[in-house]
Each structure stands twice: as C-alpha cells, then as structure tokens.
Amino acid sequence: RVRGARRANGGRVSRGTAYSLGTRIFLLSGALIAASMATAVAITMVRARQVAGEAVTRALDASQAAREGFERQRERQLRLISRVVASDPSFVAYVAEADPASVRDLLEQRRQALGCDFALVLDRAGRVLARTDRPGGAGLDLSGRPLVTESLARGEAAEVWREDDRLATAVAVPLLSGQQVV
C-alpha cells in the first residue's frame, strides 16, 4: 500500500492533500515573507500618516503665525495712517466747517494717497459725518459698534470690522476736534 494514498472506488489509489516537505517549506517561507511585507507596509502607512499630520500641523502653525504677524503689521500701519490724518490741522478744520459731501471728497483723496481700504469720519456721538465706502452714509449711528465705543472711551481702538459680508482691520483715532477717524 502507498503511504498517504487512499483507495477510491474501483480500487484506484489517489493522492490526498499531503505535500512533500520541500513544498511545505516553500509555502511556509512564502507565507512568512508575505506576512512580513504586509506588516512593513502597514507600519509604513501608519508612520507616513503621522509624519504627514505633523507636517500639516507645522504648516498650519506657520501660516497662522504669518497671518497674525501680517494683521499686527497692518494694524500698526493703519494706526499711523489714522494719526497722520487726524493730526492734520487743515483736515480737522475742513471737517469742522464743510458739508458731508465735501468732507467725503477730501477723505477719499486722503484714503487713496495713504493706501487704506475705506475711511470714515464720525462725530463725538458716533454718527457718520462722511465715509468713503458708501456714498450717502452720513448720519448713520455707529455708536454701538465696539470699535467706536472703545475709541470714544479710550481715545484709540482697533478691531476687525465686519460690515455686510466684508471683514477689514479697522482703527479709530480721535481728530483734534474730538471727532473720530475710522
């Protein structure tokens, strides 16, 4: 009788699932190599995700720091621009004596010359005397805005100004006469 063989119908001998020792070693070696490669790929994927996540975090932190630095620089620049306009005695005298349309024209000239997005002149109560971003905005009460409230209380203020769907860095500085330039 042949070892590992079975008799089937009719007396024939058939070989079962028994493999030779060489075949078994080959298959076991192949399985170990495949398992090792799968483990290496899995570990590489996990580590790659960690490294990518750390790189994204560093990039976002650097971007945030750059944005904050830009905002601080822009605020300082706007403070200087506002102080130049507010301390000009001829501008202050013109605001005190002229009509809102004329003040708006002069304010627009200053805005363009000094490179800001928009400018407003408010009276002591926080109402708009003139503004460059909206023709006919005179008389609008902005006294409830935090920027205006703080500037009226402390003399100078800065914040992110939100109006409609626009955001802007804004600075409020009092004119020599007591009005506010925003």
Side-chain angles (χ1 to χ4, degrees):
R1 192 170 160 181
V2 178
R3 183 178 261 189
R6 292 182 289 183
R7 289 202 182 261
N9 293 340
R12 289 181 299 169
V13 176
S14 68
R15 198 107 167 96
T17 57
Y19 296 108
S20 69
L21 180 62
T23 303
R24 282 188 254 163
I25 290 173
F26 176 76
L27 291 175
L28 181 61
S29 298
L32 288 174
I33 290 171
S36 297
M37 289 178 61
T39 302
V41 167
I43 289 171
T44 302
M45 285 176 43
V46 167
R47 184 64 186 136
R49 280 189 181 157
Q50 289 173 343
V51 169
E54 291 168 3
V56 167
T57 300
R58 280 193 307 274
L60 288 174
D61 289 345
S63 175
Q64 175 77 11
R67 185 188 59 78
E68 288 172 354
F70 175 76
E71 285 177 3
R72 282 191 302 274
Q73 179 183 0
R74 182 64 177 158
E75 182 181 317
R76 282 192 301 271
Q77 182 184 24
L78 289 173
R79 282 184 191 274
L80 290 173
I81 289 170
S82 297
R83 288 175 187 156
V84 165
V85 172
S87 64
D88 181 1
S90 60
F91 178 78
V92 173
Y94 193 80
V95 167
E97 296 174 11
D99 63 291
S102 299
V103 173
R104 182 186 184 284
D105 291 341
L106 182 61
L107 194 59
E108 178 63 27
Q109 291 173 2
R110 295 292 173 99
R111 184 199 67 76
Q112 289 176 359
L114 295 171
C116 55
D117 296 327
F118 67 95
L120 290 86
V121 176
L122 308 176
D123 65 13
R124 289 184 180 105
R127 287 184 305 276
V128 176
L129 294 174
R131 64 187 298 170
T132 60
D133 61 332
R134 287 192 184 162
L140 181 64
D141 185 9
L142 298 178
S143 62
R145 301 285 304 252
L147 176 70
V148 176
T149 304
E150 185 177 344
S151 70
L152 290 171
R154 294 186 16 204
E156 197 172 293
E159 75 169 15
V160 174
W161 182 275
R162 181 176 183 176
E163 194 161 357
D164 301 327
D165 289 333
R166 296 182 320 158
L167 295 175
T169 302
V171 173
V173 176
L175 293 177
L176 296 175
S177 67
Q179 274 110 343
Q180 300 287 317
V181 172
V182 178

